[in-house]
């Protein structure tokens, strides 16, 4: 099946710093989403971005489908940004409906 | 409204108990999912229902039994679980069973098997 690797695995930032999280995937995808998992386990939708660039406030994301990667940018980080960030993809070759999650990036933002 | 509601939020059960997890959405989505997440790991797909029919079973043990009574509800029946089944169980839904649709997740049920 498709492999989805995220980097870095762990990241510590000082409040106000910027960061870039990366998601690499091993095959062509129909669907790519970025999620933030808060300390209570809730997966919060950040972006639905199978290709192109989107921005939402301090967050933006870019997916280059032909090169099989996506980037999540966090600017002016806040302590509430702490948690785990996952990308999840739907393999073009799959029978459909199957989101495969990446390995995750655990982010801690210090005040 | 992009809400998926799961109950209960926490569950402790013995290995001989029978319990059920519930999931509900009112977004008109026709695909619903169960995922299992162990600590410090990504969620892993268990089951997919598309138009109320089971379309994917990721070789899940029979002690987990899914049920989709209608397009808004998804249940996961639990019986004779093992301590290693303790995990966060997440429900999700998406617009249709087709490709290129965004999935929305519930808050999860944190299950402990004793």
């Amino acid at each position: 099946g498709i492999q989805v690797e995220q980097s870095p695995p762990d990241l510590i930032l000082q409040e106000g710093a910027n960061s870039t999280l990366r998601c690499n995937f091993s095959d062509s995808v129909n669907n790519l989403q970025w999620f933030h998992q808060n300390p209570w386990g809730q997966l919060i939708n950040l972006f639905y971005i199978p290709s192109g660039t989107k921005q939402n406030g301090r967050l933006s994301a870019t997916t280059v489908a032909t090169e099989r990667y996506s980037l999540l940018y966090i600017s002016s980080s806040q302590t509430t940004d702490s948690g785990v960030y996952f990308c999840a993809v739907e393999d073009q070759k799959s029978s459909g409906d199957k989101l495969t999650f990446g390995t995750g990036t655990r982010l801690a933002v210090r005040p | 409204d992009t809400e998926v509601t799961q109950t209960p939020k926490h569950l402790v059960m013995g290995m001989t108990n029978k319990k059920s997890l519930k999931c509900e959405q009112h977004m008109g989505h026709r695909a619903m999912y169960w995922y299992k997440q162990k600590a410090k790991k990504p969620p892993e797909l268990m089951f997919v229902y598309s138009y109320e029919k089971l379309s994917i079973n990721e070789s899940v043990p029979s002690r987990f039994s899914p049920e989709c009574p209608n397009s808004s509800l998804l249940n996961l029946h639990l019986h004779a679980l093992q301590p290693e089944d303790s995990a966060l169980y997440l429900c999700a839904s998406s617009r249709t069973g087709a490709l290129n649709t965004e999935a929305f997740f519930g808050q999860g049920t944190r299950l402990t098997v004793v």
Side-chain angles (χ1 to χ4, degrees):
Chain A
I2 193 168
Q3 303 299 311
V4 187
E5 296 289 330
Q6 291 183 240
S7 60
D10 295 281
L11 184 60
I12 300 175
L13 295 177
Q14 206 62 35
E15 199 168 27
N18 303 328
S19 63
T20 301
L21 282 55
R22 187 175 179 104
C23 170
N24 290 333
F25 40 96
S26 61
D27 215 332
S28 300
V29 299
N30 291 314
N31 178 357
L32 188 144
Q33 293 185 235
W34 282 98
F35 296 93
H36 174 213
Q37 189 165 40
N38 65 23
W40 298 273
Q42 172 88 53
L43 279 167
I44 299 163
N45 291 46
L46 297 178
F47 294 102
Y48 171 73
I49 186 165
S51 64
T53 297
K54 290 186 178 179
Q55 179 154 8
N56 185 1
R58 296 181 297 103
L59 303 182
S60 64
T62 294
T63 296
V64 184
T66 53
E67 296 189 21
R68 299 182 185 169
Y69 73 89
S70 184
L71 302 174
L72 178 69
Y73 305 95
I74 305 174
S75 65
S76 304
S77 58
Q78 301 176 357
T79 55
T80 51
D81 295 332
S82 297
V84 184
Y85 289 80
F86 289 106
C87 66
V89 303
E90 189 169 344
D91 185 354
Q92 271 189 3
K93 295 197 185 81
S94 78
S95 57
D97 308 329
K98 183 176 176 177
L99 265 184
T100 299
F101 279 76
T103 48
T105 292
R106 189 172 299 273
L107 173 64
V109 181
R110 306 287 193 223
Chain B
D1 180 14
T2 57
E3 190 169 330
V4 177
T5 303
Q6 289 187 242
T7 55
K9 290 190 169 39
H10 300 274
L11 178 63
V12 179
M13 61 184 290
M15 289 188 283
T16 58
N17 292 158
K18 286 185 182 180
K19 296 287 185 184
S20 296
L21 309 184
K22 296 184 184 304
C23 175
E24 190 168 4
Q25 57 87 17
H26 295 289
M27 294 179 276
H29 289 176
R30 301 309 297 273
M32 295 187 77
Y33 314 77
W34 282 114
Y35 281 80
K36 174 182 178 178
Q37 186 178 21
K38 300 284 280 183
K40 299 190 185 300
K41 296 288 187 184
E44 293 182 340
L45 183 67
M46 300 174 72
F47 302 104
V48 180
Y49 273 83
S50 180
Y51 293 90
E52 294 102 70
K53 292 194 188 316
L54 184 64
S55 60
I56 296 177
N57 176 343
E58 291 286 277
S59 303
V60 178
S62 60
R63 57 186 184 270
F64 296 91
S65 175
E67 179 197 20
C68 190
N70 60 56
S71 60
S72 299
L73 293 174
L74 185 66
N75 298 321
L76 186 63
H77 303 299
L78 314 173
H79 174 53
L81 294 194
Q82 303 298 310
E84 59 265 29
D85 296 321
S86 299
L88 180 67
Y89 289 83
L90 293 160
C91 174
S93 70
S94 63
R95 185 163 49 87
T96 70
L99 304 175
N100 303 324
T101 59
E102 185 175 5
F104 294 88
F105 283 78
Q107 288 184 307
T109 294
R110 203 165 291 277
L111 173 67
T112 303
V113 182
V114 297

